[in-house]
Amino acid sequence: DHAATRRAGFGLMGAHRALGHFEAALSVLDELRKAKEAKHEPYGEADLDLLYNLARTHADMANCDEAIELENQIIELCETLSDKPTVTLLHSKMRLTSLLVRTARADDGVRLTEGTLALARMHGLIDRHILLIASHNFAAVSRHQEALTLLQETLPLMKQECGEESFEVAWAVFEQGMYLERLGRDTQAISHFERAVPIMQKVRGKDGQDTLRFTNALALAYTKTGRNDEAISLHKNALDLKRKKHGSEHLSTLWSMNGLGRAYLEANKLDEAENCLRECLAIREKVTPQHWHLFKTKSVLGGVLVAKGRKMRDADEESAAKRFVEAEPLLITGYEGLKEREANIPDERRCC
């Protein structure tokens, strides 16, 4: 029975995707597509699910050209099946916009975003998926006020569909904070981060990756606004959780170690900053000698040594000079290493 085989195939594909085995999922989907095409029948409404899963699996594997081709096929099929816009059509158009933005075709992606948003509003088909992708697309081209406005429109829909304290709501609140920070509205950004963290703690636990990502963003925002003691406390707690969960040499642990060192520096606790950053640098040089974060740690440690040299210059000029001499190569190699790897440096607020 072909229908039974197809259902079993989709079940197997779903299991592979849930485990992150995207190549295995794609293999199953390719087999289903070959079975479909072997019948020499045109694609119809019943095949939209197959095309959708093929497109999203290629997208998850960063096969963007293949995903774009499939989304265009879905759009063409939807337009053939109905002369009026459907939710399926609009969702496919929005996924296509996201792919265009990801593949350096941002202008095309944003134009299609604007057109699809207008079409969805005209026909009363706006929903949280359309709004969320549109928000991300506008943020990608630094149109943060528009991104924020769309997220604000999305949030009530998310609360209604997903629950007040859901993963989706936590992320929406967090991203609003990100956009507010981009707009220079730091106090409002902190308020959003402070709302997002406890929701994510309930959903993912205190040591969950997303929880720690949100906590890191909050700690950085505290540092930025001079709330150094609160930043230090958050970084310390995160570091303790990560040491227990991952050990001292894990990338996530080292991220918090570096963040704690920076927070100590901003609080003018220079001895604590130096000790923390020297430990971080020693581990970095051992486990990730070419990672961009190694050079970031060198740069911050160099800054700490310069600060210590300035502080002791009047009382002990010779010791101060030694600090400056040690700081110089750290600052130079830190700068040069970061400059060479600039394309690989993520938004630190999204790191954990």
Side-chain angles (χ1 to χ4, degrees), residues 171-280:
W171 260 106
V173 173
F174 173 73
E175 289 190 319
Q176 285 185 45
M178 296 274 288
Y179 300 155
L180 286 163
E181 196 168 37
R182 296 286 191 189
L183 292 165
R185 293 152 65 178
D186 294 329
T187 301
Q188 289 176 279
I190 286 173
S191 176
H192 281 71
F193 294 151
E194 288 174 336
R195 285 166 53 199
V197 169
I199 298 174
M200 192 58 79
Q201 285 178 337
K202 289 182 180 180
V203 176
R204 289 289 191 263
K206 289 187 177 181
D207 62 350
Q209 184 174 6
D210 290 303
T211 305
L212 294 170
R213 181 177 286 114
F214 288 12
T215 302
N216 176 66
L218 177 57
L220 291 171
Y222 281 154
T223 299
K224 184 179 179 182
T225 54
R227 295 169 63 174
N228 295 313
D229 289 342
E230 290 164 285
I232 288 169
S233 178
L234 285 177
H235 281 305
K236 276 185 172 181
N237 289 339
L239 182 57
D240 288 342
L241 287 169
K242 291 175 182 180
R243 283 189 195 274
K244 292 174 183 176
K245 186 174 182 179
H246 301 301
S248 294
E249 296 184 357
H250 194 275
L251 294 179
S252 182
T253 306
L254 293 168
W255 181 268
S256 285
M257 199 180 296
N258 189 87
L260 178 59
R262 286 177 60 192
Y264 279 137
L265 172 60
E266 292 297 326
N268 203 33
K269 297 181 177 182
L270 300 181
D271 289 338
E272 293 92 333
E274 181 179 357
N275 292 337
C276 188
L277 290 165
R278 284 193 186 280
E279 180 185 3
C280 184

Side-chain angles (χ1 to χ4, degrees), residues 2-22:
H2 176 67
T5 304
R6 185 183 176 99
R7 284 194 297 272
F10 272 102
L12 179 58
M13 176 275 301
H16 284 316
R17 283 188 56 83
L19 293 167
H21 300 161
F22 296 118

Side-chain angles (χ1 to χ4, degrees), residues 4-16 28-29 32 46-51 53-54:
T5 304
R6 185 183 176 99
R7 284 194 297 272
F10 272 102
L12 179 58
M13 176 275 301
H16 284 316
V28 174
L29 289 165
L32 292 173
D47 302 305
L48 286 169
D49 197 31
L50 172 60
L51 295 172
N53 280 289
L54 277 163

